[in-house]
Amino acid sequence: MSTHTTSGDRPRKRRPYAPRVPIEQRREQLLDAALAVIVSDGYDRISIDAVAKRAGVARSVVYGAYDNLDTLLTALLDRQQARAFERLLATLPDSTESPESPESPEPAAFAAETVRRMSAMLRQDPDTWRLILSPPGNMPAVVRDRIEADRERFRLRVEAWLSHALTGPDHDALDPRVLAHALVACAEHFGRLALTAPGTFDPAHLVDQVRLILGALWPRTR
């Protein structure tokens, strides 16, 4: 007598099993997975399902660590900001420090050193900067708003420092606000090129060009 196997008798495909790990370790694993999805597939493909699949866990594991995708992405930005953005801010002097003080370098030399450090950060942690410098069109709103706020914070820091540097009758025609917007936009443009088309510009050449251009804007007077 033959037996027939019905669809209900077929073994079900097992869902990914996630071993128990401390919650902080799990969250780090999921943030790594989310970053990997964004870097490899773009913001269009980021989802709870995509993160779970990349991490090799069930959706319930992701929801056990983060309430929703926005919460997960905010945590990812918090982590990557701590890794990279704060270091970027640290390359600029405090807005209360005059660029003509004996302790601070000439403006052109300082700007060139900032470019050098930014280039080094791109090489050391390219995935973080891909997250930040990706075209904004397909970013989730929570990511776009956060990155825009960080960009404005950085731009204001640049503007405040330029306001000190552009003092005196020789620089009255230069607007620190306009110049800060231009410098930040240029930095982002060359940062994207370094990530998407490495080798287009030699970092050392860019540093030299920044020194020459800004040196022409305000030569050292002391």
Side-chain angles (χ1 to χ4, degrees):
M1 179 177 178
S2 62
T3 58
H4 298 280
T5 302
T6 65
S7 59
D9 296 328
R10 293 172 186 164
R12 294 182 180 179
K13 184 178 180 180
R14 290 183 171 230
R15 299 176 68 182
Y17 171 72
R20 290 181 177 274
V21 298
I23 186 62
E24 290 305 318
Q25 182 180 339
R26 176 69 72 201
R27 285 173 176 158
E28 284 296 306
Q29 176 198 18
L30 297 174
L31 294 183
D32 289 340
L35 181 59
V37 171
I38 293 169
V39 168
S40 64
D41 302 328
Y43 282 105
D44 286 336
R45 304 298 297 274
I46 190 68
S47 66
I48 292 294
D49 283 337
V51 173
K53 183 177 180 180
R54 185 62 64 102
V57 299
R59 284 165 48 93
S60 59
V61 174
V62 183
Y63 282 116
Y66 296 100
D67 292 338
N68 51 48
L69 183 60
D70 282 358
T71 303
L72 189 155
L73 290 175
T74 298
L76 177 60
L77 288 167
D78 284 341
R79 188 185 75 170
Q80 303 311 115
Q81 182 191 54
R83 290 182 177 181
F85 194 79
E86 293 301 330
R87 282 185 292 165
L88 177 60
L89 285 177
T91 65
L92 294 173
D94 186 88
S95 60
T96 60
E97 180 184 343
S98 168
E100 298 302 327
S101 68
E103 294 79 15
S104 95
E106 58 179 303
F110 179 83
E113 176 61 15
T114 298
V115 171
R116 188 192 67 76
R117 292 181 184 181
M118 290 174 66
S119 297
M121 285 190 292
L122 285 170
R123 293 192 301 271
Q124 292 166 2
D125 194 2
D127 286 351
T128 290
W129 291 102
R130 287 190 180 96
L131 176 76
I132 295 170
L133 296 176
S134 293
N138 60 351
M139 281 182 182
V142 66
V143 177
R144 185 172 59 251
D145 293 346
R146 174 63 176 275
I147 290 176
E148 182 57 37
D150 286 342
R151 178 185 294 111
E152 181 64 6
R153 188 154 61 102
F154 180 63
R155 189 199 63 76
L156 288 172
R157 187 80 161 265
V158 174
E159 180 183 338
W161 187 78
L162 287 171
S163 296
H164 286 287
L166 300 177
T167 55
D170 293 339
H171 307 304
D172 287 344
L174 290 171
D175 185 335
R177 183 166 176 262
V178 172
L179 188 54
H181 274 282
L183 291 176
V184 172
C186 285
E188 289 187 349
H189 170 73
F190 285 110
R192 289 190 189 99
L193 276 181
L195 294 172
T196 60
T200 303
F201 291 98
D202 176 50
H205 177 64
L206 284 178
V207 169
D208 288 341
Q209 289 297 299
V210 167
R211 186 189 297 270
L212 288 171
I213 293 168
L214 297 187
L217 282 176
W218 61 86
R220 186 174 181 175
T221 57
R222 52 184 174 81

